[in-house]
Every structure is written in structure tokens, then in C-alpha cells.
């Protein structure tokens, strides 16, 4: 792979990492209509937010925070046992209008740049494919980015991230908010095993709905409704089976 051209524009918004390994790569959208406005915001000391990299819609890559520093992109978040995702992750902000802008498509040039950048980052850190995550995965209910239009399947085909072909949507038994019992416990246990921050209570509560929706937003994008239908559960099982 040829080295990616990266422009540098340092953001003041970063701090010390803890001494945990950097083993998560977290992808975001900016959720703003204008690239330059979003980039300026990430470099504004008043914003108190940043990411290590920014990817323009035309594929231009900007480095904002050195990888050995803790950028401020994840906020309140949880994955596996970690509740300080910023300390152990690299964050990439991808310029896209997001849900506020009606979920515009990600241009090809931008996705190609994201794939190349992610490939370089996972080569520099012990980040396994199943820890290349969406902001919505680590902050379910609070964050929706990079959204259900983000082409995770295309990234995986290029060797970035963990993805399986989602099971087709079909009729059958499903679980939703208000349900409880052993099947809900099993569902929560599978989601937690994958890494989602969910308690195994046996009650399909608001948190469970948010986590199921986050899972769908990443892995079963054609319907994101927080209902654990057969396709959602099958897809989750297949992903778990495919874990190293
Ligand atoms: Zn985000």
C-alpha cells in the first residue's frame, strides 16, 4: 500500500493517555453540512472535542492529534470492560452531514481514504478487526454515528473491521422493549460477549433497545428499530462465531 498523504493541522484538544494499550479504532461522522466548519470546530479550544484524524469528503486526510495523545472524541462510552474509550482508541472524524443532514452517502474517494488510513493505523497498534467500532457502538442511545449508511461491509471487504453478511429479514419470533425472561438474558449475554456495554438483567429495557439499535446500525443496516428479530439475533450469533 502506498503511503497516504496526510496534511497536518494540530488541535489543542488532547491530553495524556493512561498506560492501557491502544486497541480500539473508533469511527465518527461530523454531523455538519460543511467540512471546513467541522474541521475548525475540532481545532477550537472552546469545543473541547477532537479526533486523531479528519477525512474530508474528497478524501483529503488531516492529522489533528498525535496518536500517542488522548484525543477527545468518544465522551461517555463503554466497550467490554473499558469505560475510558478515549484512552485506548484512535478516533477518526469523517466529514458527513449525518442524521441531521438526512444521511447523505459517503463519497467513494472518502471511503477509499478511510480504508487506507484505517489500514495504516491498525498496522501501528494492536487493534484487532472486531475492535474497529462505531461511536454508536460504544455510546448506544447517545450517539448515532457514523450511521446506518456507513459502508462497513465495504471496509471489511478491504480488510478493515469485522463484518458478516447480515441474515435476511424474515418473519419469526422477536423480542422487544417490555419483554423479559431467559431469552432476553441470552440476548444480553451475547451482546455483552461481543463487547456492548449492557447488563444481563433479563429485562428488555431502554438500554437493551438502544444497544440492539446500535448493533443493527453497524451490522444489520437495512432495518434499525431496536427490535431483536431473528435476523438480528442470527447475525449476532454469526459474528460471535467468527470472532478469533
Ligand atoms: Zn462521534
Amino acid at each position: 500500500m502506498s503511503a497516504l498523504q496526510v496534511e497536518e493541522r494540530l488541535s489543542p484538544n488532547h491530553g495524556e493517555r493512561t498506560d492501557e494499550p491502544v486497541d480500539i479504532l473508533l469511527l465518527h461522522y461530523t454531523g455538519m453540512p460543511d467540512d471546513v466548519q467541522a474541521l475548525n470546530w475540532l481545532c477550537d479550544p472552546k469545543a473541547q472535542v477532537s479526533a486523531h484524524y479528519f477525512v474530508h469528503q474528497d478524501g483529503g486526510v488531516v492529522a489533528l492529534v498525535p496518536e500517542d495523545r488522548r484525543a477527545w472524541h468518544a465522551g461517555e462510552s463503554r466497550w467490554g470492560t473499558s469505560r475510558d474509550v478515549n484512552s485506548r482508541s484512535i478516533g477518526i472524524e469523517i466529514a458527513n452531514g449525518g442524521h441531521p443532514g438526512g444521511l447523505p452517502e459517503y463519497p467513494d474517494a472518502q471511503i477509499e481514504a478511510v480504508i487506507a488510513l484505517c489500514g495504516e493505523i491498525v498496522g501501528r497498534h494492536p487493534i484487532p478487526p472486531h475492535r474497529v467500532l462505531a461511536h454508536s457502538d460504544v455510546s448506544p442511545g447517545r450517539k448515532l454515528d457514523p450511521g446506518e449508511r456507513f459502508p462497513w461491509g465495504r471496509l471489511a471487504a478491504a480488510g478493515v473491521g469485522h463484518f458478516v453478511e447480515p441474515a435476511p429479514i424474515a418473519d419469526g419470533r422477536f423480542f422487544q422493549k417490555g419483554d423479559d425472561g431467559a431469552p432476553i438474558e441470552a440476548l444480553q449475554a451475547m451482546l455483552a460477549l461481543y463487547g456492548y456495554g449492557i447488563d444481563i438483567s433479563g429485562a428488555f429495557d431502554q438500554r437493551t433497545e438502544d444497544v440492539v439499535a446500535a448493533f443493527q446500525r453497524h451490522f444489520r443496516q437495512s432495518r434499525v428499530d431496536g427490535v431483536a428479530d431473528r435476523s438480528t439475533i442470527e447475525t449476532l450469533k454469526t459474528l460471535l462465531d467468527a470472532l478469533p
Side-chain angles (χ1 to χ4, degrees):
M1 191 191 302
S2 61
L4 191 66
Q5 289 275 39
V6 179
E7 181 195 328
E8 198 166 272
R9 176 171 166 188
L10 293 180
S11 166
N13 302 329
H14 55 84
E16 291 279 342
R17 286 190 186 277
T18 59
D19 53 9
E20 294 168 308
V22 173
D23 59 3
I24 292 174
L25 175 54
L26 200 63
L27 305 189
H28 304 259
Y29 66 46
T30 55
M32 289 167 88
D34 183 71
D35 289 26
V36 174
Q37 207 186 332
L39 184 56
N40 287 343
W41 178 245
L42 292 166
C43 296
D44 184 339
K46 288 197 299 290
Q48 297 282 297
V49 295
S50 61
H52 295 89
Y53 297 96
F54 178 94
V55 182
H56 283 281
Q57 294 189 59
D58 68 5
V61 178
V62 187
L64 305 176
V65 173
E67 291 186 2
D68 62 351
R69 300 288 293 171
R70 181 179 179 274
W72 303 337
H73 54 101
E76 174 79 36
S77 53
R78 185 173 158 196
W79 191 255
T81 54
S82 178
R83 291 179 187 253
D84 179 10
V85 171
N86 279 338
S87 271
R88 59 194 309 163
S89 63
I90 301 286
I92 302 177
E93 281 284 355
I94 304 164
N96 181 273
H99 291 83
L103 287 173
E105 261 197 70
Y106 289 88
D108 282 344
Q110 187 179 36
I111 291 304
E112 290 306 318
V114 168
I115 288 169
L117 177 60
C118 289
E120 293 195 356
I121 292 167
V122 300
R124 285 194 285 264
H125 301 276
I127 304 174
H130 61 281
R131 291 175 73 90
V132 178
L133 298 169
H135 196 187
S136 49
D137 289 321
V138 303
S139 301
R142 194 175 70 79
K143 291 291 174 183
L144 306 175
D145 59 309
E148 55 270 37
R149 287 273 176 83
F150 188 75
W152 290 104
R154 194 167 149 199
L155 266 68
V160 174
H162 188 221
F163 193 82
V164 297
E165 194 57 41
I169 294 177
D171 292 337
R173 201 172 170 200
F174 62 89
F175 304 99
Q176 61 188 354
K177 200 162 73 179
D179 290 344
D180 54 39
I184 310 305
E185 230 175 274
L187 169 68
Q188 291 167 330
M190 285 197 295
L191 288 164
L193 187 60
Y194 198 73
Y196 286 93
I198 188 168
D199 297 327
I200 300 160
S201 65
F204 202 123
D205 53 8
Q206 183 61 53
R207 176 72 180 180
T208 305
E209 184 177 80
D210 290 342
V211 169
V212 169
F215 175 82
Q216 293 168 333
R217 213 177 286 292
H218 188 156
F219 296 108
R220 208 287 304 272
Q221 299 179 310
S222 58
R223 190 189 290 172
V224 179
D225 58 6
V227 173
D229 57 16
R230 235 169 66 184
S231 146
T232 302
I233 294 168
E234 285 304 314
T235 306
L236 174 56
K237 279 184 181 155
T238 310
L239 275 165
L240 284 169
D241 287 346
L243 279 179

